[in-house]
Amino acid sequence: MDADIIVVGAGIAGLTAAAEAADRGRSVVLVDQEGEQNLGGQAFWSLGGLFFVDSPEQRRMGVKDSLALATQDWMGSAQFDREEDAWPRRWAEAYLDFAAGEKRAWLHEMGLRLFPVVGWAERGDGRAEGHGNSVPRFHLTWGTGPGVVAPFERRVREHVATGRIAFAFRRRVDGLVVEDGAVVGVRGAVLEPTAVDRGVASSRVETGEFELRGQAVIVTSGGIGGDHDLVRKVWPERLGTPPATMVAGVPAHVDGRMLAISEHAGARVINPDRLWAYVEGLRNWDPIWDNHGIRILPGPSSLWLDATGRRLPAPYFPGFDTLGTLRHLRGTGHDYSWFVLTQKVIEKEFALSGSEQNPDLTGKDVKLLLSRLKAGAPGPIEAFKTHGEDFVVADDLTGLVAGMNEVGDTGHVDEADLRHLLEARDREIDNDFTKDAQITAMRGARRYRGDKLIRVATPHRFLDPRNGPLIAVRLNILTRKTLGGLETDLSGRCLTPDGAPLPGLYAAGEVNGFGGGGMMGYNALEGTFLGGCLFSGRVAGRAAADAVG
């Protein structure tokens, strides 16, 4: 036996599971097909958003939240409706208790700190009982994704120094070792060393084979977002036809291989058709990985148009209902859509998802952070506006439409139609009263202190030159998260098709739908991906350690 526990995947779920198991005195080998430079996985690239319920940060911002309200929102979003949703539902209930209880104190004790302004993500489909967050719950980590990774990496490296955890990088797992019906190890190929930067595609040249044995294996290998053919294969009919063109929100090594490998060993994969693809993706003008996409985190003011210039209906406003908007757009026959906005909107409302796109928050640079309150858009936003192929900037509508038809499909946007739409919208701005649901939503958002301070522009006329220039942004579909996966019980044990635990095999993170095989159901409330990795990694690491003891 090489270790008590083998953890496959050195992302945040794997780091958490390894640290928790080692804390309980177990020996661990942490295996990953990439090099050590990718330690932390996708969490490193994230904005570091975490979902908390009734937090001190919420209360300080005047937000009244409760476990009952969060449960209403979660279940209204998840819309569990399948027999196999039994364990995902139980995981959802357990995670909500964690998010309303021990989660914040556990992370705070490890040194994780939060940005004081709570964000309001995924504002919903317009129904109290439906999808979406009724209140702001998106808590940014001070230090973004690297700030989330740091305390867990520190814990793991402390155990590496004592010999309790060993790294096995550049080991690609090709199969699980099963003996007498139990998983007792992993086998695969040794890949040649690599010095490529984090996120850059690495070599797949094999230099040998390996096998590692232990009393338990925890699979924490992530989702399928880096393999667009696989994304298209599982794309559900309810979301329309799969897009021919997408941008990649994750590197190529997020390949989903361990799902099929675990299934071959006897584990059950459920809800493979549940996925999370964003509709506000930009092509990164300075890419790290191939086809690198960045998501806009929009405020509610931009006018959202389909590829032909038609306005999206309510409630498909920026930041409200991701998959509802995706479903609507897939019915248009085009793989892209448009935001139309002004300089005033981009300065106040545009943020980019990703640690590297937010140097002030990532670097914990207060002086740079305060510069966001000054005139002008943040530096990364202006860089995309200047260099990004998806941006059109013009002083008048004629120039804007010409640019849109050059960047998008020629002739799709009609200037007269768009002018009529913008003039009608601008007339609604003159009064506190309006029948325009988006303007009502904008004004409602500004009643929240956090939105008024840093997130939502003062309502203004788009065609008034004083608010310009005009800006149009082509939005691409961006692959990101897998919401289904390996079915697990509340101890993180993988289950077989007949519902029994598969001895020796556990799972955590995105590979098991962040818990149970899909604890978010059909929709996510945001800030739940990282938290799901942390929670399921903690559960699996502790349970496996107790089982092998």
Side-chain angles (χ1 to χ4, degrees), residues 212-223:
L212 293 167
R213 288 178 171 253
Q215 297 183 64
V217 174
I218 307 176
V219 178
T220 62
S221 54

Side-chain angles (χ1 to χ4, degrees), residues 17 40 44 107 173 228 368 405 497 539 541:
F44 178 90
L107 293 171
V173 174
H228 287 189
L368 186 59
N405 285 324
V539 167

Side-chain angles (χ1 to χ4, degrees), residues 52-61 104 114 116 118 139:
F52 294 100
V53 178
D54 191 27
S55 68
E57 289 75 21
Q58 285 175 299
R59 294 193 291 272
R60 282 195 290 267
M61 295 300 296
R104 186 183 181 281
L114 300 171
V118 183
H139 296 67

Side-chain angles (χ1 to χ4, degrees), residues 115-116 141-144 355 358-374:
F115 186 64
T141 301
W142 185 232
T144 68
S355 55
N358 295 274
D360 49 355
L361 293 166
T362 302
K364 303 180 182 180
D365 187 328
V366 175
K367 184 177 180 180
L368 186 59
L369 178 67
L370 291 175
S371 70
R372 293 193 184 216
L373 300 177
K374 300 178 181 178

